[in-house]
């Protein structure tokens, strides 16, 4: 039987090495990354059967990384973290993680949880390709956006940015996150591509003059897309 290919994202080098070594002994191929955005350094053709991801990473919060992992790798995701609060546990599962494991954990129990997840999964998940918020429909496959029956005139860059913002509806996303998600490389701290694209998309959204449909600047945090029901 072919060895399962697992991606481990864990910033604790020693712990990550121990986990990788243990899983290797049980016939797993393990790729270990210490930072979330290092996924962009991986071969585009690589496929994983499962991802085990920490929550408190040095470059991006594991919860925000979730949508990027789903975008690039169509497989189940397990959180392995020291964050044991019930709110974090619930948040991780609500995002779509198959399991939420609190460290420390016995290696054999970790192996059992991983094996169980793979068994339940059976095959890789199909990626989510549409988002619907009220009468706004975004189709990722077609790179098309509709408001009711009206197709919006958006460029590929407009659509990609809108899709990422809509995935995190109502949540402030910083420039670094949006740059990685839409440009696909590491942010150097100076590039203003995201700001320019956001301003252009914001104008197109504003020109629609749809009550409650807006891209906001959240000072000190980033940009947030929302489509709210307006009340009198």
């Amino acid at each position: 039987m072919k060895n399962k290919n697992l991606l481990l994202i864990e910033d604790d080098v020693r712990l990550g090495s121990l986990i990788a070594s243990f899983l290797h002994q049980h016939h797993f191929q393990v790729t270990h990354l210490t930072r979330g955005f290092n996924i962009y350094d991986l071969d585009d053709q690589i496929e994983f059967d499962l991802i085990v991801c920490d929550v408190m990473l040095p470059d991006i919060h594991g919860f925000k990384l979730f949508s990027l992992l789903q975008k690039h790798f169509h497989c189940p995701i397990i959180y392995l973290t020291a964050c044991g609060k019930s709110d974090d546990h619930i948040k991780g599962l609500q995002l779509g993680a198959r399991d939420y494991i609190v460290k420390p954990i016995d290696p054999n129990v970790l192996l059992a949880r991983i094996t169980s997840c793979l068994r339940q999964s059976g095959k890789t998940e199909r990626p989510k390709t549409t988002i619907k918020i009220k009468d706004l429909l975004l189709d990722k496959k077609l790179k098309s956006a509709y408001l009711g029956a009206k197709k919006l005139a958006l460029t590929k860059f407009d659509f990609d940015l809108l899709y990422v913002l809509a995935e995190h509806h109502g949540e402030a996303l910083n420039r670094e996150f949006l740059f990685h998600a839409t440009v696909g490389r590491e942010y150097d701290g100076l590039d203003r591509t995201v700001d320019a694209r956001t301003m252009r998309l914001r104008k197109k959204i504003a020109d629609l003059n749809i009550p409650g449909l807006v891209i906001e600047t959240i000072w000190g945090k980033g940009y947030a897309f929302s489509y709210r029901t307006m009340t009198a």
Side-chain angles (χ1 to χ4, degrees):
M1 185 175 69
K2 181 182 175 182
N3 289 356
K4 294 295 185 180
N5 198 11
L6 186 144
L7 174 61
L8 172 65
I9 306 175
E10 169 60 64
D11 65 313
D12 185 324
V13 176
R14 181 176 179 275
L15 176 60
S17 297
L18 289 172
I19 293 173
S21 178
F22 175 80
L23 293 176
H24 181 73
Q25 293 173 26
H26 290 82
H27 312 295
F28 282 86
Q29 296 178 15
V30 181
T31 300
H32 177 208
L33 303 180
T34 57
R35 298 172 70 88
F37 288 136
N38 284 353
I39 61 173
Y40 292 107
D41 298 328
L42 297 172
D43 187 326
D44 289 339
Q45 301 304 312
I46 194 168
E47 294 184 359
F48 294 104
D49 297 292
L50 178 73
I51 297 172
V52 177
C53 183
D54 195 1
V55 171
M56 301 305 293
L57 295 167
D59 56 341
I60 179 174
H61 195 282
F63 290 164
K64 285 195 172 183
L65 182 61
F66 192 87
S67 62
L68 299 185
L69 293 175
Q70 284 189 314
K71 178 181 178 180
H72 285 80
F73 312 108
H74 309 144
C75 66
I77 300 169
I78 291 177
Y79 280 118
L80 175 63
T81 174
C83 299
K85 294 181 180 178
S86 58
D87 288 348
D88 291 325
H89 198 143
I90 293 168
K91 174 68 173 177
L93 295 176
Q94 286 178 335
L95 282 172
R98 288 299 186 89
D99 203 348
Y100 188 98
I101 303 171
V102 178
K103 297 184 273 191
I105 185 170
D106 182 282
N108 288 297
V109 176
L110 174 62
L111 176 63
R113 300 275 281 269
I114 288 174
T115 303
S116 175
C117 179
L118 288 169
R119 185 169 55 248
Q120 291 173 21
S121 175
K123 61 180 181 178
T124 57
E125 300 170 320
R126 291 189 176 184
K128 180 181 178 181
T129 59
T130 61
I131 294 175
K132 192 172 190 308
I133 304 173
K134 296 176 66 175
D135 58 343
L136 175 67
L137 175 66
L138 305 179
D139 189 318
K140 192 174 183 179
K141 280 187 176 180
L142 301 177
K143 297 284 184 180
S144 299
Y146 298 86
L147 261 175
K150 179 184 178 182
K151 184 176 181 179
L152 304 184
L154 300 179
T155 67
K156 174 187 179 301
F157 297 129
D158 292 334
F159 179 85
D160 289 345
L161 178 58
L162 180 58
Y163 195 91
V164 172
L165 288 166
E167 280 185 307
H168 300 270
H169 182 252
E171 181 181 351
L173 302 178
N174 63 33
R175 186 183 292 114
E176 182 181 15
F177 178 85
L178 289 171
F179 190 89
H180 276 282
T182 59
V183 180
R185 55 185 169 83
E186 189 143 0
Y187 180 59
D188 63 7
L190 300 174
D191 196 306
R192 289 296 179 265
T193 298
V194 165
D195 301 270
R197 291 180 182 177
T198 302
M199 288 178 64
R200 183 177 63 230
L201 178 60
R202 174 186 277 160
K203 184 179 186 308
K204 290 184 178 181
I205 295 295
D207 287 346
L208 295 172
N209 197 28
I210 306 295
L213 182 63
V214 65
I215 296 176
E216 301 175 286
T217 298
I218 311 298
W219 297 111
K221 294 185 178 180
Y223 300 105
F225 168 82
S226 63
Y227 193 1
R228 301 185 297 264
T229 301
M230 304 302 289
T231 54

